[in-house]
Amino acid sequence: MDQLQRLRDRSTRLFGHQPAGVWAAPGRVNLIGEHTDYNDGFVMPFALAEQTLVAATPVDDDRWTVHSTTIGDGETVQFGPQDLVPGMAGWQAYVAGIVWALRAAGHRVGGAELMISSTVPVGAGLSSSAALECSVLTALVDLYELPIDPLDRAILARRCENEFVGAPTGLMDQAASTLCSAGHALFFDCRSYHHQQVPLGLSDAGLELLVLDTRTPHAHVDGEYADRRRICEEAAGLLGVAALRDVADAGGALARLSDPVMRRRVRHVLTENQRVLDARAVMSDGDRTAQQRFAALAPLLDASHASMRDDFEITVPTVDLAVETARESGAIGARMTGGGFGGCIIALVPEGTGDAVADKIADAFAAAGFGAPAHFLGRPSAGARRA
Ligand code: GLA
C-alpha cells in the first residue's frame, strides 16, 4: 500500500471519518547556491519525490488536532489560538507556526484535523521542515479557500520557520517546496523573487543524481549557521551594501576586508552567486546537448564544494570523504547540499551506477571508522499540491 492510501486509512481510523483531502509538499536538494539565499543572492534547488503528506479536514471550532505517523513519538497534539505563541517546542511548532503566520498575515483560517506522514529524511539537510510547513500550509489554504499564490505561501512558511520556530534560515527551502515543477530545477532570485524553471534532462544526458546521506547529525537552529549569517551581514555593513548580493567589484571588496576569516566567508558568497548564474546559463543553453550542459555544470558543483570546504568552512570529514570518493568512483561532479556540518552530498553519476558509487562510499566510510551512510536517487519532482 502506498504512502497516500496508508495515510488516508490511518486518518479515517483516528478521526472516525474520511479526510476532506490529502495534500503533499516535497523535500529538496539544492543543485547549487549554498548560503546565498539570506545574502539576497541566487539558488537553484529541485524538489524531491520524497514528500510530506497531510490528510486534513476542517472543523467548526478554533482547534487544531495533529497526529504524525512518522515524526515525533506518535502522540496526538492539540492546540488552540491561545497556544499560538512563538517559541513553542517540538515538531508541532512547524504546524502551529503555519496557523500563526496565516493569522498574523490577516487570513481567516479555522480549525482542522491533520494527520501527517513523511518520507523526507529528518535532519539530513533535505528540508524536512519546509516540507512539513508547506504541506500543512497548502492544506489550510485549500480548505479555507485563501487567496495566496505559491510564492506568498513560501514567504509565509519562512515566516513560520524564522519567527515562530526561531531558525534564522533564508527562503530557499520553502520556495523549492512550493514553486518547483517536475523535471526541473528552480532558479530563484532571493531578492526580486524572480524565478525560472530550468529543465534538467538527467536521463537524456545518460546521468542520474545520487543523494547520499552521510548521517552526520546537523542542526540549524544552533550556532554555526547563525554565525555564518551574522558574519555575512557584518561584512555587508563594512562594505556599505545592503547585502552581499550588491557587491559589484568582487576583487575590490575582498581587498577592503582586513579580517582573513571574513574575507573567505565573503569570497564564498560572491563566487557561489556567480556559479549559480553560470549554472543557469549553461543549463538553459538550447545550443548544447543535455550531455554538454551537464558536462559544463559538473565543474561548477566541484568548485562549489571546494568553496564550502575551504572558504565557508561548513563541510565535515564525512561529507568531504563522500564527495572525494564519489568523484573517484565515476561521478562527473559532486558537492555537499544544504546548510552544512553534515547532511547529504549530491553526485552526478552515469545512469545505472548510483548504487555502485554509494557502495564505494560506504566502503570508504567503513575504512575510516564512520557509520554507514544511506542513499537514494534524486528525482526532480513537483512542488506542493493536492495529492
Ligand atoms: C538551509 C536553510 C536555507 C539555506 C541553506 C544553505 O537549508 O534553510 O535557507 O540558507 O541552509 O544554502
Side-chain angles (χ1 to χ4, degrees), residues 28 30 33-38 169-173 220 225 338-339:
R28 62 100 188 91
N30 189 15
E34 228 61 84
H35 288 261
T36 45
D37 60 354
Y38 57 77
T169 62
L171 184 56
M172 170 170 70
D173 305 343
H220 282 153
Y225 185 95

Side-chain angles (χ1 to χ4, degrees), residues 61-64 79-85 99-100 103 109 164:
D61 59 352
D62 245 6
R63 291 202 72 72
W64 294 269
F79 54 87
Q82 72 288 352
D83 303 313
L84 299 175
V85 181
V99 177
W100 172 85
R103 292 199 157 196
V109 57
F164 196 87

Side-chain angles (χ1 to χ4, degrees), residues 278-320:
D278 294 348
R280 174 179 63 166
V282 298
M283 294 308 285
S284 323
D285 182 351
D287 290 337
R288 300 186 201 217
T289 63
Q291 212 171 358
Q292 288 167 336
R293 288 200 289 273
F294 280 101
L297 176 70
L300 297 170
L301 303 189
D302 291 343
S304 169
H305 188 79
S307 179
M308 291 190 286
R309 183 191 58 213
D310 303 335
D311 279 352
F312 220 56
E313 296 180 275
I314 53 171
T315 68
V316 291
T318 47
V319 162
D320 290 331

Side-chain angles (χ1 to χ4, degrees), residues 6-374:
R6 263 202 314 273
L7 181 67
R8 273 187 192 286
D9 290 352
R10 291 195 61 169
S11 180
T12 303
R13 274 204 303 279
L14 182 75
F15 293 116
H17 54 82
Q18 287 271 343
V22 179
W23 285 263
R28 62 100 188 91
V29 289
N30 189 15
L31 200 51
I32 194 157
E34 228 61 84
H35 288 261
T36 45
D37 60 354
Y38 57 77
N39 289 298
D40 280 5
F42 312 107
V43 293
M44 215 163 107
F46 70 78
L48 292 167
E50 286 64 26
Q51 61 184 1
T52 298
L53 292 182
V54 52
T57 307
V59 298
D60 285 341
D61 59 352
D62 245 6
R63 291 202 72 72
W64 294 269
T65 307
V66 193
H67 184 93
S68 168
T69 63
T70 47
I71 315 164
D73 297 323
E75 79 270 48
T76 300
V77 294
Q78 266 211 340
F79 54 87
Q82 72 288 352
D83 303 313
L84 299 175
V85 181
M88 179 188 277
W91 63 270
Q92 57 266 36
Y94 295 92
V95 180
I98 288 298
V99 177
W100 172 85
L102 282 167
R103 292 199 157 196
H107 295 291
R108 295 171 64 87
V109 57
E113 296 163 347
L114 304 164
M115 165 84 82
I116 294 161
S117 103
S118 185
T119 55
V120 186
V122 174
L126 300 174
S127 295
S128 59
S129 52
L132 176 54
E133 290 155 3
C134 295
S135 62
V136 170
L137 179 61
T138 310
L140 294 175
V141 161
D142 275 5
L143 287 179
Y144 286 100
E145 297 176 356
L146 305 175
I148 311 174
D149 67 24
L151 174 61
D152 286 330
R153 294 178 196 190
I155 293 169
L156 278 175
R158 180 201 181 178
R159 204 167 162 204
C160 155
E161 177 109 22
N162 289 174
E163 296 176 38
F164 196 87
V165 177
T169 62
L171 184 56
M172 170 170 70
D173 305 343
Q174 293 78 13
S177 195
T178 64
L179 293 170
C180 279
S181 69
H184 293 74
L186 177 81
F187 171 84
F188 189 74
D189 178 333
C190 300
R191 170 171 285 164
S192 69
Y193 301 153
H194 163 74
H195 47 95
Q196 176 190 334
Q197 303 291 340
V198 180
L200 285 175
L202 280 159
S203 187
D204 297 339
L207 295 169
E208 60 195 23
L209 190 122
L210 170 67
V211 182
L212 182 124
D213 180 359
T214 63
R215 287 184 151 156
T216 314
H218 89 147
H220 282 153
V221 196
D222 77 354
E224 296 283 5
Y225 185 95
D227 168 78
R228 296 305 185 279
R229 193 174 171 142
R230 188 192 44 74
I231 201 163
C232 289
E233 282 161 6
E234 208 180 307
L238 286 173
L239 294 168
V241 290
L244 291 181
R245 149 73 173 274
D246 299 306
V247 171
D249 165 21
L254 293 173
R256 281 169 56 205
L257 297 172
S258 56
D259 175 39
V261 173
M262 181 182 279
R263 201 180 313 126
R264 287 205 306 278
R265 303 290 187 259
V266 171
R267 187 166 58 193
H268 165 75
V269 174
L270 302 185
T271 57
E272 185 78 350
N273 269 330
Q274 189 56 50
R275 282 186 287 271
V276 182
L277 294 174
D278 294 348
R280 174 179 63 166
V282 298
M283 294 308 285
S284 323
D285 182 351
D287 290 337
R288 300 186 201 217
T289 63
Q291 212 171 358
Q292 288 167 336
R293 288 200 289 273
F294 280 101
L297 176 70
L300 297 170
L301 303 189
D302 291 343
S304 169
H305 188 79
S307 179
M308 291 190 286
R309 183 191 58 213
D310 303 335
D311 279 352
F312 220 56
E313 296 180 275
I314 53 171
T315 68
V316 291
T318 47
V319 162
D320 290 331
L321 180 61
V323 163
E324 279 154 32
T325 312
R327 283 201 205 109
E328 285 160 15
S329 312
I332 63 166
R335 64 183 287 275
M336 185 187 76
T337 187
F341 308 100
C344 291
I345 70 145
I346 55 171
L348 282 173
V349 300
E351 204 163 18
T353 68
D355 290 336
V357 174
D359 286 348
K360 288 267 170 42
I361 299 172
D363 290 347
F365 271 37
F370 298 150

